[in-house]
Amino acid sequence: MKKTRIIQLCFLLFAVAFAGCKGKSGSEQAGGAFTPGELWPDNNGVHINAHGGGILHDGDTYYWFGEHKTEGTAGNNALVGVHCYSSKDLYNWKDEGVALSVVTDDSTHSIAKGCILERPKVIYNKKNNNYVMWFHLEPKGAGYSGALSGIAVSDKVAGPYKFLRAVRPNAGSWPTNVQDIHKQRVPESDRSKFTGGSLPAHPDSLNLLGRDMEGGQMARDMNLFVDDDSKAYHIYSSEENSTLHISLLTDDYTNYSGTYARFFPGRFMEAPAMFKRDGKYYLIMSGCTGWAPNAGRSAVAPSIWGPWEELENPFVGEDSDLSFHSQSTYVLPAPGKPGQFIYMGDRWTPENAIDGRYIWLPIRFEGDQPIIEWQDKWSY
Ligand code: DGJ
């Protein structure tokens, strides 16, 4: 064989070997398929760090916002902030950096480093041509007792976002579906029997709604939903997680309008993710068992204000009673496929928070019932 031919052959072998290595690294692994539960490398080959997240579709780009977690159990608290990634195809994600940073030089600040900042979501406000972020906020050192909503805004989708305020929802307002029992005072001794877990009795016997009427209702696990008429809603676990509240936001999306309603009293639902299909509203949610997975919940309604009908666990097959070891965080309309949706869930790893995995799966429907089946690998 001639010397030039041998050199050409060596070059070809090197090129093939190099391409093989590249295929296994970084964003190439994501390629054109979802592999639920696997590491999901970004454009730098680093596992995506956007837990409890949600997606904003802006122009031709998707933005994924989520909790930036760090190593170990300490990483469950917010030591960095909200991380943002962008993508054109939902498979390959570019690191856009930290969209909202925790405050490092003032330990009394609402979003001081070490606070709990969970489930951030971003929506676009047409009226002000800006981006509004909401998240569940627990001030540093107070566990989950704060049950506040944090709000931040930015003129640029990927941030930096400016923190506006931390609030308890709807202080001074009753929900549209308030009942007489809520306006009665329950003795403090009765309320103190309640320690936060599930109760066999209906929680209205403790009147948590009435307890929080003046100071504002509790808001923990949350999501946002913007309807076709541009009205935006905050959906969150309230009344010590026992009951779901849905609140209409102001036109600029940065505050509560005072109009809200309560649903599923005593059902202890967390992780609400709302979507709209053929004019009907759907919720996918979880039960309430801390970081541990449980069976999913689902519901449908003809209007956002109900009546909400609870359906079955949307997960089917092996491990469906554990939602495939995940908890809902968002439901995304499938790109270019009207009426089809993608379930986004978190597989939490509280012992090493940064290692949490993402479970994205297609949702199909049997009548109104959303159905989610496990797939090792899939594309839309
Ligand atoms: C379940 C919630 O869904 C999470 O966001 C987080 O608050 C954990 N509980 C904390 O235990």
Side-chain angles (χ1 to χ4, degrees):
M1 207 185 287
K2 278 192 189 149
K3 202 172 158 197
T4 48
R5 188 93 179 99
I6 292 171
I7 291 170
Q8 273 174 353
L9 207 63
C10 286
F11 182 76
L12 194 70
L13 283 172
F14 176 75
V16 168
F18 180 73
C21 288
K22 199 163 169 260
K24 285 188 200 117
S25 81
S27 59
E28 294 271 331
Q29 192 181 320
F34 300 109
T35 51
E38 299 296 315
L39 286 171
W40 194 340
D42 68 8
N43 59 313
N44 300 314
V46 177
H47 181 50
I48 291 171
N49 198 341
H51 310 266
I55 305 282
L56 174 68
H57 192 191
D58 196 51
D60 65 350
T61 306
Y62 294 92
Y63 292 88
W64 179 354
F65 296 87
E67 303 160 32
H68 181 114
K69 303 249 191 199
T70 53
E71 286 82 11
T73 50
N76 293 302
N77 285 13
L79 303 177
V80 177
V82 177
H83 210 120
C84 175
Y85 296 82
S86 66
S87 174
K88 301 279 186 210
D89 61 9
L90 297 177
Y91 304 117
N92 299 283
W93 292 89
K94 176 172 176 256
D95 185 358
E96 297 283 351
V98 177
L100 175 71
S101 297
V102 294
V103 172
T104 53
D105 59 0
D106 175 4
S107 63
T108 65
H109 195 284
S110 297
I111 57 164
K113 183 176 176 182
C115 69
I116 293 173
L117 193 168
E118 293 181 340
R119 301 184 172 272
K121 304 288 178 298
V122 173
I123 50 180
Y124 172 68
N125 184 266
K126 257 190 223 152
K127 191 175 156 220
N128 290 340
N129 188 27
N130 68 356
Y131 300 87
V132 185
M133 179 189 288
W134 283 65
F135 47 91
H136 167 202
L137 175 65
E138 300 289 349
K140 189 178 173 176
Y144 279 88
S145 61
L148 299 165
S149 301
I151 302 129
V153 289
S154 176
D155 290 335
K156 291 198 218 113
V157 58
Y161 282 75
K162 181 175 174 276
F163 177 74
L164 287 186
R165 69 181 81 86
V167 281
R168 273 282 185 103
N170 300 306
S173 301
W174 289 113
T176 51
N177 53 358
V178 66
Q179 297 162 29
D180 286 344
I181 186 176
H182 301 129
K183 299 191 173 169
Q184 292 158 20
R185 200 164 159 71
V186 174
E188 212 51 58
S189 53
D190 283 5
R191 287 181 191 166
S192 60
K193 284 183 204 150
F194 182 62
T195 54
S198 297
L199 276 183
H202 193 287
D204 273 357
S205 59
L206 299 170
N207 192 8
L208 304 170
L209 185 82
R211 177 194 72 183
D212 293 336
M213 191 271 194
E214 276 174 27
Q217 300 297 326
M218 302 179 87
R220 291 195 181 127
D221 276 15
M222 56 140 278
N223 225 310
L224 298 174
F225 177 76
V226 181
D227 210 342
D228 303 329
D229 59 4
S230 295
K231 286 189 173 147
Y233 301 85
H234 188 219
I235 303 129
Y236 49 94
S237 307
S238 192
E239 302 178 38
E240 304 283 1
N241 289 343
S242 68
T243 301
L244 193 80
H245 285 197
I246 300 179
S247 285
L248 174 68
L249 301 183
T250 51
D251 286 352
D252 65 1
Y253 300 169
T254 71
N255 221 327
Y256 294 96
S257 67
T259 299
Y260 73 110
R262 60 197 292 273
F263 301 100
F264 314 109
R267 287 292 290 140
F268 287 87
M269 311 257 214
E270 284 193 318
M274 184 179 279
F275 59 101
K276 193 175 182 180
R277 171 182 169 260
D278 294 341
K280 288 185 186 171
Y281 297 80
Y282 291 82
L283 278 165
I284 289 184
M285 296 158 287
S286 73
C288 185
T289 51
W291 296 116
N294 52 56
R297 314 269 181 93
S298 65
V300 64
S303 144
I304 205 157
W305 300 120
W308 281 95
E309 179 199 349
E310 194 173 338
L311 304 168
E312 302 291 323
N313 176 1
F315 297 90
V316 295
E318 200 182 334
D319 281 346
S320 57
D321 54 340
L322 297 175
S323 306
F324 306 141
H325 299 267
S326 76
Q327 190 181 28
S328 41
T329 186
Y330 198 75
V331 170
L332 175 70
K337 310 233 174 205
Q340 295 188 32
F341 297 86
I342 298 173
Y343 163 82
M344 288 171 56
D346 291 282
R347 184 172 285 176
W348 304 112
T349 52
E351 62 292 345
N352 185 23
I354 194 172
D355 193 36
R357 306 296 172 87
Y358 309 104
I359 307 297
W360 289 27
L361 288 165
I363 304 176
R364 66 178 178 84
F365 291 83
E366 282 177 10
D368 277 337
Q369 177 65 59
I371 306 274
I372 305 170
E373 283 159 303
W374 179 259
Q375 300 198 37
D376 289 335
K377 187 171 184 177
W378 68 283
S379 308
Y380 58 80

